[in-house]
Amino acid sequence: MATIPAETPKIRVPLPPTDAKVVTTACEYCPVACGYKAYIWPVGEAGGPSADSNAQATDFPSPVPSGRWPSPNMHTTVTIDDRLQNVIVLPNPDADVVNVGGNHSVRGGTLALKLYRPDGPTRDRLQRPMLRVNGTLQPIGWEAATDIIAQMIRHTVDKHGELATGFKHFSY
Amino acid sequence: MTTGPWQPLRKERISRRSLLKGGAGASVGAAGLVLVGCGDNDDETIRELLDEINGLEDELDEVEVDGGASGAGAPIRYPRRRIAAVSDLREGEPLRFDYLLVGQSSLLIKLGKPAAGGVGPDGDIVAFSELCTHMGCPIASMYRPDSATVGPCAGHFTMFDLTHRGMVVIGQATENLPQVILELEGDDVVAIGVNGIVYGYRDNLADGELAGEGA
């Protein structure tokens, strides 16, 4: 029983090259919102094992304990602008609150796996707003979706009061 | 047969098997090499592959790495290493050894209860990396014979079940504890591969020197 739905086990994880795109992000699995960094670069390119040859500025094998190791489940590939890209989501080593020193939970550590892949476990993700009409989900535009949501909230507040409203959202 | 995400693994194994059969005669394919990255829970497939490989060539001279840059799924062949004799093992007393590289410290343990991937007369001899897959703390000293687990790690309390391929029981790690794949050669326990990537490495064979034999 794997704790994480596994794709083909990886035998290596590519390191981000020095020119990889780096963005800071926050884990959304719980309200703490630990800090992470996402490294994004084209498949086919890779950084080297010395600190001056990868975007993590880390020598490999990475020190222990350090939280600087991109584990197989921290890596995925996605399509961005019609090009296959590597993505690694690692704890932000510069974070000075909450998850300092590269610490992460099993949820934050697997943030990369929640990215949409048509050939992966996220293939069933909704890619556009859907409206249930006569029992069947049908795709609608964002404008129509937000209009309907606004009108439903207005109607509920007017008829039953503010405490009758609530939101439920879902994330992988 | 399980369903869902595991199904592609079967296809992957078959395609690699075909690849190996078609290409091994013309390539290096040497005895003492094993194909890993084939999926969990399938030592039989690995052994079948080994039999095929061993029937083709005699000696291991070098490690062949043949992989794609995306990091997923490419065949890799790991060298065989004799670790210890079955008769040297005492139940619940781990032996430490390096495999594949110097510094990739692993534990060979006779658990005293049957384990997935276990070898020996009781199917209870297993080997694992001794580095926690969360942040790399060494956990060898935290082996618990009563439950055949290691942990809780002193760093952040991750525990791994050694009877279930190093599965995370509780804690923060995103990976199972990498399991060293074993087989018996007479009374010798021989390491033939690793299922998983050892903490800190981008590749089990990169950035270091191959370790020698023995515990």
Side-chain angles (χ1 to χ4, degrees), chain B residues 130-214:
Chain B
E130 71 147 324
L131 293 184
C132 177
T133 52
H134 179 225
M135 290 177 71
C137 297
I139 52 176
S141 62
M142 294 148 196
Y143 172 58
R144 303 163 74 92
D146 53 338
S147 55
T149 56
V150 285
C153 175
H156 306 87
F157 313 118
T158 300
M159 290 186 78
F160 303 91
D161 185 342
L162 304 190
T163 64
H164 287 79
R165 299 191 178 277
M167 179 178 75
V168 176
V169 178
I170 191 170
Q172 317 278 62
T174 63
E175 314 291 329
N176 288 4
L177 203 56
Q179 183 169 19
V180 179
I181 304 166
L182 302 175
E183 69 174 23
L184 286 189
E185 240 177 46
D187 188 46
D188 288 339
V189 180
V190 180
I192 63 172
V194 179
N195 202 339
I197 305 178
V198 174
Y199 184 91
Y201 287 81
R202 55 184 174 145
D203 179 321
N204 286 334
L205 286 169
D207 314 323
E209 295 178 12
L210 282 173
E213 302 209 325

Side-chain angles (χ1 to χ4, degrees), chain A residues 1 12-13 69 71 73 104, chain B residues 71 134 167 174-175 201-202:
Chain A
M1 295 290 286
R12 66 178 61 85
V13 172
W69 178 57
S71 80
N73 276 322
H104 64 84
Chain B
H134 179 225
M167 179 178 75
T174 63
E175 314 291 329
Y201 287 81
R202 55 184 174 145

Side-chain angles (χ1 to χ4, degrees), chain A residues 1-15 43-49 59-75 77 84 86 100-110 121 123, chain B residues 5-6 8-9 12 16 36-41 65-76 78 131 133-138 156 164 167-168 171-176 195-204 206-208:
Chain A
M1 295 290 286
T3 52
I4 300 161
E7 299 171 24
T8 305
K10 292 168 184 160
I11 56 170
R12 66 178 61 85
V13 172
L15 302 180
V43 165
E45 301 173 14
D59 285 319
F60 283 83
S62 60
V64 293
S66 70
R68 304 297 288 268
W69 178 57
S71 80
N73 276 322
M74 292 179 182
H75 167 260
T77 52
L84 201 57
N86 288 297
V100 294
N103 197 1
H104 64 84
S105 73
V106 67
R107 295 168 294 170
T110 52
R123 68 173 74 84
Chain B
W6 291 104
L9 295 182
E12 188 76 12
R16 286 193 192 137
V36 299
C38 302
D40 202 356
N41 302 321
V65 178
D66 175 21
S70 75
I76 187 169
Y78 287 150
L131 293 184
T133 52
H134 179 225
M135 290 177 71
C137 297
H156 306 87
H164 287 79
M167 179 178 75
V168 176
Q172 317 278 62
T174 63
E175 314 291 329
N176 288 4
N195 202 339
I197 305 178
V198 174
Y199 184 91
Y201 287 81
R202 55 184 174 145
D203 179 321
N204 286 334
D207 314 323

Side-chain angles (χ1 to χ4, degrees), chain B residues 113-125:
Chain B
K113 59 182 78 173
V119 300
D122 305 316
D124 66 342
I125 299 171

